Amino acid sequence: MADFEPGSLPDLLPLYYRRVFPFGLYGRWLRYGDVSKNYFQRREFSFTLRDDIYVRYQSFNTPLELEKEIQKMCPYKIDIGAVYSHKPIQHNMVHLGAFQAQEKELVFDIDMTDYDDVRRCCSSAEICPKCWTLMSIAIRIIDRALVEDFGIKHRLWVYSGRRGVHCWVCDESVRKWSSSLRSAAVEYLSLVKGGEETIKKVTLPDNIHPFISESLNVVKRYFREYALVEQDILGSKESYEKVLALVPENILSRTYGACQRVLHILLEFTKKHDSVKRWELLTKAMERHSNTLKKMAHTESEIMLQYCFPRLDMNVSKGINHLLKSPFSVHPKTGRISVPIDLKKLDEFDPFAVPTISRLCHELDTVSNDEGDAKENDGEPENSRRSRDYKKTSLAPYVKVFEQFLEEMEKSHKKERLKASDMQLDF
């Protein structure tokens, strides 16, 4: 089957939205068990249509109404926004200042382009298996902190469809967080500071916070294979000079005679022929100085973190009214579906194996032909047929991850409601 062609999207989207998109589960998610009056009705949806026509402040009375509108409009992209004080569709009819974003999932957006200064294999929107490891490291670090440091239970990690990942934190208490609380959370989870002109972007304090220690444990598991073997960060003169720029000169130089200082490390580097051996040489030099020069005690860790630590987009996370691409959207450039990621199989996740819309439509055609134009579906309700349709495609395992996420969240909500009910009875 031919690869996805962006020009084919208008022909493929109607079939995808009609027979594959898991609207039933989608509605279950965003209703949150009808947690408050008109909750779903006050949620903003945004559609990006053909020719980059952008339609904001869409809202719907029911998930079925949303489904019908999506099938009618066939948006190239679906974004999810906040739950507002009023129905977003009526935002122009509300008094100025009264229309306010009240709550939304805490979201994180990690984009591979933010790592361009530390990856050698790709740049810009390009990704490959070598640099995708950065996303695995980021998910492990952030997810551990969300669960163990913040006490968060319900997280949905989603592949963006091209070059990054998104996280939706769905705990009820977190959905109500203010912008300042969201900013504080991102600040807590951030270590890499500074723009393109900043050379040293990670500086650790004397006393290492447990979050940093835990993050380093994750990075160390991946660093040798990812940074030294696959990225070969010390392999060329250009690349190892970037690393050495992060090391204090006292470590790099040795004094000969009265005042002649020579970059001893560079002389030794020429005798080693791969990044692994050069890193061993460098770390031994750093260890020799760490006891005598306090500012050098964390140099090795700072380098590892600068090359591997997650880079979060503060603006995406702090704004309650910020839009984020919906799970199961189609990426218009790659055709790949924005699918949930199974954290139990995180290191096995392959962005290049994610189904494209063209592949899914081809699979549906094959199923229909094999079943004699899908005669078995005669007389079945539309929802039942579509449920079985996506289960017959390569999207099925990703939908299963989403379904398991919903089941866990609904089970937790039920438990909390029973607990609240028992407390009232006791009173």
Side-chain angles (χ1 to χ4, degrees):
M1 185 181 61
D3 291 336
F4 169 74
E5 295 289 342
S8 67
L9 203 55
D11 299 323
L12 300 173
L13 281 170
L15 183 62
Y16 175 70
Y17 286 134
R18 191 173 75 250
R19 295 182 59 187
V20 182
F21 194 99
F23 283 108
L25 298 174
Y26 196 72
R28 271 172 62 188
W29 171 38
L30 294 174
R31 284 173 62 184
Y32 289 107
D34 295 319
V35 65
S36 62
K37 186 179 179 182
N38 299 328
Y39 191 84
F40 182 83
Q41 292 93 320
R42 292 185 284 116
R43 170 79 72 168
E44 180 192 0
F45 295 89
S46 168
F47 300 151
T48 303
L49 308 179
R50 192 173 183 173
D51 300 323
D52 288 329
I53 297 171
Y54 195 48
V55 186
R56 276 203 70 173
Y57 298 115
Q58 302 298 291
S59 59
F60 305 91
N61 291 319
T62 65
L64 182 59
E65 196 177 289
L66 168 66
E67 175 182 349
K68 289 179 178 178
E69 187 67 10
I70 288 175
Q71 290 172 345
K72 174 186 169 186
M73 304 288 285
C74 288
Y76 276 39
K77 185 163 76 102
I78 304 166
D79 286 302
I80 299 174
V83 175
Y84 283 83
S85 53
H86 302 75
K87 293 180 180 180
I89 199 81
Q90 300 172 345
H91 73 283
N92 285 327
M93 302 163 60
V94 178
H95 291 300
L96 189 66
F99 182 69
Q100 297 288 332
Q102 292 187 327
E103 63 177 80
K104 194 191 70 174
E105 297 78 6
L106 172 64
V107 294
F108 298 99
D109 181 8
I110 308 174
D111 194 311
M112 195 71 83
T113 55
D114 293 327
Y115 294 85
D116 278 359
D117 62 313
V118 292
R119 58 179 182 146
R120 297 186 64 202
C121 52
C122 305
S123 63
S124 190
E126 296 175 347
I127 62 167
C128 72
K130 288 182 178 180
C131 57
W132 186 256
T133 304
L134 286 167
M135 294 296 110
S136 298
I137 295 171
I139 292 172
R140 289 204 184 280
I141 288 174
I142 301 301
D143 196 70
R144 186 217 61 80
L146 291 175
V147 174
E148 297 181 18
D149 300 356
F150 289 88
I152 284 166
K153 296 178 181 177
H154 309 297
R155 304 95 51 219
L156 180 67
W157 285 94
V158 181
Y159 170 49
S160 71
R162 193 178 193 185
R163 60 176 184 259
V165 295
H166 301 152
C167 179
W168 298 78
V169 176
C170 301
D171 294 44
E172 184 175 358
S173 60
V174 177
R175 298 200 307 267
K176 301 178 189 301
W177 277 9
S178 65
S179 180
S180 58
L181 272 177
R182 293 165 194 257
S183 298
V186 180
E187 189 65 33
Y188 176 90
L189 296 168
S190 298
L191 283 179
V192 181
K193 306 289 178 68
E196 292 182 12
E197 304 303 317
T198 306
I199 295 173
K200 185 176 173 61
K201 296 181 180 179
V202 176
T203 302
L204 298 180
D206 292 339
N207 297 316
I208 300 296
H209 190 278
F211 166 65
I212 299 174
S213 300
E214 292 286 353
S215 300
L216 269 169
N217 290 338
V218 174
V219 169
K220 286 173 182 176
R221 284 164 48 192
Y222 289 91
F223 187 78
R224 185 185 187 279
E225 186 64 26
Y226 162 70
L228 303 180
V229 177
E230 293 183 340
Q231 291 295 320
D232 197 21
I233 63 170
L234 298 171
S236 70
K237 185 174 185 292
E238 181 186 3
S239 61
Y240 70 58
E241 283 180 348
K242 289 176 68 175
V243 176
L244 296 180
L246 307 176
V247 181
E249 190 177 324
N250 306 58
I251 293 176
L252 303 178
S253 305
R254 180 174 290 179
T255 302
Y256 291 87
C259 60
Q260 184 186 11
R261 293 182 66 79
V262 178
L263 287 179
H264 177 68
I265 288 289
L266 293 182
L267 294 175
E268 292 297 315
F269 265 21
T270 59
K271 302 174 187 177
K272 310 293 181 182
H273 300 290
D274 64 61
S275 288
V276 174
K277 291 177 180 175
R278 287 174 174 174
W279 180 253
E280 289 173 357
L281 180 73
L282 184 58
T283 52
K284 286 177 182 175
M286 289 188 282
E287 285 170 10
R288 283 197 300 269
H289 290 79
S290 62
N291 294 328
T292 54
L293 296 168
K294 198 173 183 180
K295 68 176 183 178
M296 299 181 192
H298 302 311
T299 302
E300 180 182 349
S301 297
E302 289 168 344
I303 294 171
M304 296 172 77
L305 291 168
Q306 180 153 332
Y307 273 78
C308 298
F309 192 84
R311 302 180 176 204
L312 304 175
D313 187 328
M314 169 71 85
N315 292 325
V316 171
S317 300
K318 74 176 183 180
I320 301 175
N321 62 348
H322 201 289
L323 297 162
L324 188 63
K325 183 166 65 177
S326 167
F328 299 104
S329 276
V330 181
H331 196 288
K333 294 286 198 307
T334 65
R336 295 187 203 120
I337 310 301
S338 184
V339 294
I341 297 171
D342 185 354
L343 297 191
K344 297 185 186 74
K345 301 176 181 177
L346 178 58
D347 290 328
E348 299 170 31
F349 181 81
D350 180 1
F352 299 102
V354 168
T356 62
I357 186 172
S358 50
R359 175 180 165 188
L360 293 173
C361 291
H362 175 77
E363 290 169 353
L364 286 176
D365 288 341
T366 303
V367 167
S368 295
N369 290 334
D370 290 347
E371 296 179 354
D373 296 323
K375 287 181 181 178
E376 69 170 65
N377 290 330
D378 287 349
E380 281 190 309
E382 176 73 13
N383 286 345
S384 173
R385 191 176 80 240
R386 182 170 52 254
S387 171
R388 297 231 306 275
D389 282 344
Y390 71 67
K391 288 179 180 177
K392 296 169 185 173
T393 72
S394 51
L395 192 66
Y398 302 100
V399 178
K400 185 67 177 175
V401 173
F402 187 49
E403 192 170 16
Q404 289 169 345
F405 160 76
L406 290 178
E407 287 171 354
E408 286 297 316
M409 189 164 61
E410 288 166 352
K411 191 187 301 180
S412 177
H413 289 166
K414 186 177 180 180
K415 191 175 179 181
E416 288 169 8
R417 284 196 297 269
L418 285 171
K419 186 177 179 182
S421 177
D422 289 343
M423 288 176 68
Q424 286 183 337
L425 289 173
D426 290 342
F427 180 78

CSV table of all heavy atoms in Angstrom, one decimal, residues 104-111 142-143 146 150 152 155-158 164-169 174 177 182 185-187 189-190 311-314 316-318 324:
chain,number,residue,atom,x,y,z
A,104,LYS,N,-9.8,22.8,33.3
A,104,LYS,CA,-9.3,22.0,32.1
A,104,LYS,C,-8.3,21.0,32.7
A,104,LYS,O,-7.7,21.3,33.7
A,104,LYS,CB,-8.7,22.9,31.0
A,104,LYS,CG,-8.5,22.1,29.7
A,104,LYS,CD,-7.7,22.9,28.7
A,104,LYS,CE,-6.2,22.9,29.2
A,104,LYS,NZ,-5.3,23.6,28.2
A,105,GLU,N,-8.1,19.9,32.0
A,105,GLU,CA,-7.0,19.0,32.3
A,105,GLU,C,-5.7,19.8,32.3
A,105,GLU,O,-5.5,20.7,31.5
A,105,GLU,CB,-6.9,17.9,31.3
A,105,GLU,CG,-8.2,17.0,31.2
A,105,GLU,CD,-9.3,17.6,30.4
A,105,GLU,OE1,-9.2,18.7,29.8
A,105,GLU,OE2,-10.4,17.0,30.4
A,106,LEU,N,-4.8,19.4,33.3
A,106,LEU,CA,-3.4,19.9,33.2
A,106,LEU,C,-2.8,19.1,32.0
A,106,LEU,O,-2.8,17.9,32.0
A,106,LEU,CB,-2.7,19.6,34.5
A,106,LEU,CG,-1.2,19.9,34.5
A,106,LEU,CD1,-0.9,21.4,34.4
A,106,LEU,CD2,-0.6,19.4,35.9
A,107,VAL,N,-2.2,19.9,31.1
A,107,VAL,CA,-1.6,19.2,29.9
A,107,VAL,C,-0.1,19.6,29.8
A,107,VAL,O,0.3,20.7,30.2
A,107,VAL,CB,-2.4,19.6,28.6
A,107,VAL,CG1,-3.8,19.1,28.7
A,107,VAL,CG2,-2.4,21.1,28.4
A,108,PHE,N,0.6,18.7,29.2
A,108,PHE,CA,2.0,18.9,28.9
A,108,PHE,C,2.3,18.6,27.4
A,108,PHE,O,1.7,17.6,26.9
A,108,PHE,CB,2.9,18.0,29.8
A,108,PHE,CG,2.8,18.2,31.3
A,108,PHE,CD1,2.0,17.4,32.1
A,108,PHE,CD2,3.5,19.3,31.8
A,108,PHE,CE1,1.9,17.7,33.4
A,108,PHE,CE2,3.3,19.5,33.2
A,108,PHE,CZ,2.5,18.7,34.0
A,109,ASP,N,3.1,19.4,26.8
A,109,ASP,CA,3.4,19.2,25.4
A,109,ASP,C,5.0,19.1,25.3
A,109,ASP,O,5.6,20.1,25.7
A,109,ASP,CB,2.9,20.4,24.6
A,109,ASP,CG,3.2,20.3,23.1
A,109,ASP,OD1,3.7,19.2,22.7
A,109,ASP,OD2,2.9,21.3,22.4
A,110,ILE,N,5.5,18.0,24.9
A,110,ILE,CA,6.9,17.8,24.7
A,110,ILE,C,7.2,17.6,23.2
A,110,ILE,O,6.7,16.7,22.6
A,110,ILE,CB,7.4,16.6,25.5
A,110,ILE,CG1,6.9,16.7,27.0
A,110,ILE,CG2,8.9,16.5,25.5
A,110,ILE,CD1,7.3,15.5,27.8
A,111,ASP,N,8.0,18.6,22.7
A,111,ASP,CA,8.2,18.6,21.2
A,111,ASP,C,9.7,18.4,20.9
A,111,ASP,O,10.5,19.0,21.5
A,111,ASP,CB,7.8,20.0,20.7
A,111,ASP,CG,7.7,20.0,19.2
A,111,ASP,OD1,8.6,19.6,18.5
A,111,ASP,OD2,6.6,20.5,18.7
A,142,ILE,N,8.6,12.5,33.8
A,142,ILE,CA,7.4,13.3,34.2
A,142,ILE,C,6.3,12.5,34.8
A,142,ILE,O,5.7,12.9,35.8
A,142,ILE,CB,6.8,14.0,32.9
A,142,ILE,CG1,7.9,15.0,32.3
A,142,ILE,CG2,5.6,14.8,33.3
A,142,ILE,CD1,8.4,16.1,33.2
A,143,ASP,N,6.1,11.3,34.3
A,143,ASP,CA,5.0,10.4,34.8
A,143,ASP,C,5.3,10.0,36.3
A,143,ASP,O,4.4,10.0,37.1
A,143,ASP,CB,4.8,9.2,33.9
A,143,ASP,CG,3.5,8.5,34.2
A,143,ASP,OD1,2.4,9.1,33.9
A,143,ASP,OD2,3.5,7.4,34.8
A,146,LEU,N,4.6,12.9,38.5
A,146,LEU,CA,3.2,13.2,38.6
A,146,LEU,C,2.5,12.2,39.7
A,146,LEU,O,1.7,12.7,40.5
A,146,LEU,CB,2.5,13.1,37.3
A,146,LEU,CG,2.8,14.1,36.2
A,146,LEU,CD1,2.1,13.8,34.9
A,146,LEU,CD2,2.3,15.5,36.7
A,150,PHE,N,3.3,14.4,43.1
A,150,PHE,CA,2.1,15.1,43.1
A,150,PHE,C,0.9,14.3,43.6
A,150,PHE,O,-0.2,14.9,43.8
A,150,PHE,CB,1.8,15.7,41.7
A,150,PHE,CG,2.7,16.9,41.4
A,150,PHE,CD1,3.9,16.6,40.7
A,150,PHE,CD2,2.4,18.2,41.6
A,150,PHE,CE1,4.8,17.6,40.3
A,150,PHE,CE2,3.2,19.2,41.3
A,150,PHE,CZ,4.4,18.9,40.6
A,152,ILE,N,-0.9,12.2,41.7
A,152,ILE,CA,-1.8,12.2,40.6
A,152,ILE,C,-2.1,10.8,40.2
A,152,ILE,O,-1.2,9.9,40.2
A,152,ILE,CB,-1.3,13.1,39.4
A,152,ILE,CG1,-1.5,14.6,39.8
A,152,ILE,CG2,-2.0,12.7,38.1
A,152,ILE,CD1,-0.8,15.5,38.9
A,155,ARG,N,-3.5,9.8,34.2
A,155,ARG,CA,-2.7,10.4,33.2
A,155,ARG,C,-2.9,9.7,31.9
A,155,ARG,O,-2.8,8.5,31.8
A,155,ARG,CB,-1.2,10.4,33.5
A,155,ARG,CG,-0.9,11.1,34.9
A,155,ARG,CD,-0.7,10.0,36.0
A,155,ARG,NE,0.1,8.9,35.6
A,155,ARG,CZ,-0.1,7.7,35.9
A,155,ARG,NH1,-1.2,7.3,36.6
A,155,ARG,NH2,0.8,6.7,35.5
A,156,LEU,N,-3.1,10.4,30.8
A,156,LEU,CA,-3.2,9.9,29.5
A,156,LEU,C,-2.1,10.4,28.6
A,156,LEU,O,-2.1,11.6,28.4
A,156,LEU,CB,-4.6,10.2,28.9
A,156,LEU,CG,-4.8,9.6,27.4
A,156,LEU,CD1,-4.9,8.1,27.5
A,156,LEU,CD2,-6.1,10.3,26.8
A,157,TRP,N,-1.1,9.6,28.3
A,157,TRP,CA,0.0,10.0,27.4
A,157,TRP,C,-0.4,9.7,26.0
A,157,TRP,O,-0.8,8.6,25.7
A,157,TRP,CB,1.3,9.3,27.8
A,157,TRP,CG,1.9,9.8,29.0
A,157,TRP,CD1,1.7,9.4,30.3
A,157,TRP,CD2,2.8,11.0,29.2
A,157,TRP,NE1,2.4,10.1,31.2
A,157,TRP,CE2,3.1,11.1,30.5
A,157,TRP,CE3,3.3,11.8,28.2
A,157,TRP,CZ2,3.9,12.1,31.0
A,157,TRP,CZ3,4.2,12.8,28.7
A,157,TRP,CH2,4.5,13.0,30.0
A,158,VAL,N,-0.2,10.6,25.1
A,158,VAL,CA,-0.6,10.5,23.7
A,158,VAL,C,0.5,11.0,22.7
A,158,VAL,O,1.1,12.0,22.9
A,158,VAL,CB,-1.9,11.4,23.4
A,158,VAL,CG1,-2.4,11.2,22.0
A,158,VAL,CG2,-3.0,11.0,24.4
A,164,GLY,N,6.3,14.5,18.7
A,164,GLY,CA,6.3,14.7,20.2
A,164,GLY,C,5.2,14.0,20.9
A,164,GLY,O,4.5,13.1,20.3
A,165,VAL,N,5.0,14.3,22.1
A,165,VAL,CA,4.0,13.6,23.0
A,165,VAL,C,3.2,14.7,23.8
A,165,VAL,O,3.8,15.7,24.1
A,165,VAL,CB,4.6,12.6,23.9
A,165,VAL,CG1,5.2,11.4,23.1
A,165,VAL,CG2,5.6,13.2,24.8
A,166,HIS,N,2.0,14.3,24.2
A,166,HIS,CA,1.2,15.1,25.0
A,166,HIS,C,0.8,14.3,26.2
A,166,HIS,O,0.7,13.1,26.1
A,166,HIS,CB,-0.1,15.6,24.3
A,166,HIS,CG,0.1,16.4,23.1
A,166,HIS,ND1,-0.7,16.4,22.0
A,166,HIS,CD2,1.2,17.2,22.7
A,166,HIS,CE1,-0.3,17.2,21.0
A,166,HIS,NE2,0.9,17.6,21.4
A,167,CYS,N,0.6,15.0,27.4
A,167,CYS,CA,0.0,14.3,28.5
A,167,CYS,C,-1.2,15.1,29.0
A,167,CYS,O,-1.2,16.3,29.1
A,167,CYS,CB,1.1,14.3,29.7
A,167,CYS,SG,0.5,13.5,31.2
A,168,TRP,N,-2.3,14.3,29.3
A,168,TRP,CA,-3.5,14.9,29.8
A,168,TRP,C,-3.7,14.4,31.3
A,168,TRP,O,-3.8,13.2,31.5
A,168,TRP,CB,-4.7,14.4,29.0
A,168,TRP,CG,-4.7,14.9,27.6
A,168,TRP,CD1,-4.0,14.3,26.6
A,168,TRP,CD2,-5.5,15.9,27.0
A,168,TRP,NE1,-4.3,15.0,25.4
A,168,TRP,CE2,-5.2,16.0,25.6
A,168,TRP,CE3,-6.4,16.8,27.6
A,168,TRP,CZ2,-5.7,16.9,24.8
A,168,TRP,CZ3,-7.0,17.8,26.7
A,168,TRP,CH2,-6.7,17.8,25.3
A,169,VAL,N,-3.6,15.3,32.2
A,169,VAL,CA,-3.8,14.9,33.6
A,169,VAL,C,-5.2,15.2,34.0
A,169,VAL,O,-5.7,16.3,33.9
A,169,VAL,CB,-2.9,15.7,34.6
A,169,VAL,CG1,-3.2,15.4,36.0
A,169,VAL,CG2,-1.4,15.4,34.2
A,174,VAL,N,-7.1,18.4,40.0
A,174,VAL,CA,-6.1,19.0,39.2
A,174,VAL,C,-6.8,19.8,38.1
A,174,VAL,O,-6.3,20.9,37.7
A,174,VAL,CB,-5.1,18.0,38.6
A,174,VAL,CG1,-4.1,18.7,37.7
A,174,VAL,CG2,-4.4,17.3,39.7
A,177,TRP,N,-7.2,23.4,39.0
A,177,TRP,CA,-6.1,24.2,39.3
A,177,TRP,C,-6.1,25.6,38.6
A,177,TRP,O,-6.4,25.6,37.4
A,177,TRP,CB,-4.8,23.5,38.9
A,177,TRP,CG,-4.3,22.5,39.9
A,177,TRP,CD1,-5.0,22.0,41.0
A,177,TRP,CD2,-3.1,21.7,39.9
A,177,TRP,NE1,-4.2,21.1,41.7
A,177,TRP,CE2,-3.1,20.9,41.0
A,177,TRP,CE3,-2.0,21.7,39.1
A,177,TRP,CZ2,-2.0,20.1,41.3
A,177,TRP,CZ3,-0.9,20.9,39.3
A,177,TRP,CH2,-0.9,20.1,40.5
A,182,ARG,N,-0.6,25.7,37.9
A,182,ARG,CA,-0.1,25.0,36.8
A,182,ARG,C,1.3,25.4,36.4
A,182,ARG,O,2.2,24.6,36.1
A,182,ARG,CB,-1.0,25.2,35.6
A,182,ARG,CG,-2.4,24.6,35.7
A,182,ARG,CD,-3.4,25.1,34.7
A,182,ARG,NE,-4.7,24.8,35.1
A,182,ARG,CZ,-5.5,23.8,34.6
A,182,ARG,NH1,-5.0,23.1,33.6
A,182,ARG,NH2,-6.7,23.5,35.1
A,185,ALA,N,3.8,23.9,38.9
A,185,ALA,CA,4.0,22.5,38.6
A,185,ALA,C,5.0,22.4,37.5
A,185,ALA,O,6.0,21.5,37.5
A,185,ALA,CB,2.7,21.8,38.2
A,186,VAL,N,4.9,23.2,36.4
A,186,VAL,CA,5.8,23.1,35.3
A,186,VAL,C,7.2,23.5,35.7
A,186,VAL,O,8.2,23.0,35.3
A,186,VAL,CB,5.4,24.0,34.1
A,186,VAL,CG1,6.4,23.9,32.9
A,186,VAL,CG2,4.0,23.5,33.6
A,187,GLU,N,7.3,24.6,36.6
A,187,GLU,CA,8.5,25.1,37.1
A,187,GLU,C,9.2,24.0,37.9
A,187,GLU,O,10.4,23.8,37.8
A,187,GLU,CB,8.3,26.3,38.0
A,187,GLU,CG,9.6,27.0,38.4
A,187,GLU,CD,10.3,27.6,37.2
A,187,GLU,OE1,9.7,28.0,36.2
A,187,GLU,OE2,11.6,27.6,37.3
A,189,LEU,N,9.0,20.8,37.4
A,189,LEU,CA,9.4,19.8,36.5
A,189,LEU,C,10.4,20.2,35.5
A,189,LEU,O,10.7,19.5,34.6
A,189,LEU,CB,8.1,19.2,35.8
A,189,LEU,CG,7.1,18.5,36.7
A,189,LEU,CD1,5.8,18.3,35.9
A,189,LEU,CD2,7.6,17.2,37.2
A,190,SER,N,10.9,21.4,35.6
A,190,SER,CA,11.9,22.0,34.6
A,190,SER,C,13.2,22.2,35.2
A,190,SER,O,13.4,22.7,36.3
A,190,SER,CB,11.3,23.3,34.1
A,190,SER,OG,10.1,23.2,33.5
A,311,ARG,N,12.0,18.7,28.1
A,311,ARG,CA,11.8,20.1,27.9
A,311,ARG,C,10.4,20.4,27.6
A,311,ARG,O,9.8,20.1,26.6
A,311,ARG,CB,12.7,20.5,26.7
A,311,ARG,CG,14.2,20.2,27.0
A,311,ARG,CD,15.1,20.5,25.8
A,311,ARG,NE,16.5,20.2,26.2
A,311,ARG,CZ,17.6,20.8,25.7
A,311,ARG,NH1,17.4,21.7,24.7
A,311,ARG,NH2,18.8,20.5,26.1
A,312,LEU,N,9.8,21.1,28.6
A,312,LEU,CA,8.3,21.3,28.6
A,312,LEU,C,8.0,22.7,28.1
A,312,LEU,O,8.8,23.7,28.2
A,312,LEU,CB,7.7,21.2,30.0
A,312,LEU,CG,8.0,19.9,30.7
A,312,LEU,CD1,7.4,20.0,32.2
A,312,LEU,CD2,7.3,18.7,30.0
A,313,ASP,N,6.9,22.8,27.4
A,313,ASP,CA,6.4,24.1,26.9
A,313,ASP,C,5.5,24.7,28.0
A,313,ASP,O,4.4,24.3,28.2
A,313,ASP,CB,5.6,23.9,25.6
A,313,ASP,CG,5.2,25.3,25.0
A,313,ASP,OD1,4.9,26.2,25.7
A,313,ASP,OD2,5.1,25.3,23.7
A,314,MET,N,6.0,25.7,28.7
A,314,MET,CA,5.3,26.3,29.9
A,314,MET,C,4.0,26.9,29.4
A,314,MET,O,3.0,26.8,30.1
A,314,MET,CB,6.2,27.4,30.5
A,314,MET,CG,5.5,28.4,31.5
A,314,MET,SD,5.1,27.6,33.0
A,314,MET,CE,6.7,27.8,33.9
A,316,VAL,N,1.8,26.1,27.1
A,316,VAL,CA,0.8,25.1,26.9
A,316,VAL,C,0.2,24.7,28.2
A,316,VAL,O,-1.0,24.5,28.3
A,316,VAL,CB,1.4,23.9,26.1
A,316,VAL,CG1,0.3,22.8,26.1
A,316,VAL,CG2,1.7,24.3,24.7
A,317,SER,N,1.0,24.5,29.2
A,317,SER,CA,0.6,23.9,30.5
A,317,SER,C,-0.1,25.0,31.4
A,317,SER,O,-1.1,24.6,32.1
A,317,SER,CB,1.8,23.3,31.3
A,317,SER,OG,2.3,22.3,30.5
A,318,LYS,N,0.4,26.2,31.4
A,318,LYS,CA,-0.1,27.2,32.4
A,318,LYS,C,-1.5,27.8,32.0
A,318,LYS,O,-2.2,28.2,32.9
A,318,LYS,CB,0.9,28.3,32.7
A,318,LYS,CG,1.0,29.3,31.5
A,318,LYS,CD,2.0,30.4,31.9
A,318,LYS,CE,2.1,31.5,30.8
A,318,LYS,NZ,3.0,32.5,31.2
A,324,LEU,N,-5.3,22.1,23.0
A,324,LEU,CA,-4.4,21.0,22.7
A,324,LEU,C,-5.1,20.0,21.8
A,324,LEU,O,-6.2,19.7,21.9
A,324,LEU,CB,-3.9,20.3,24.0
A,324,LEU,CG,-2.7,19.3,23.8
A,324,LEU,CD1,-1.5,20.0,23.3
A,324,LEU,CD2,-2.4,18.6,25.1
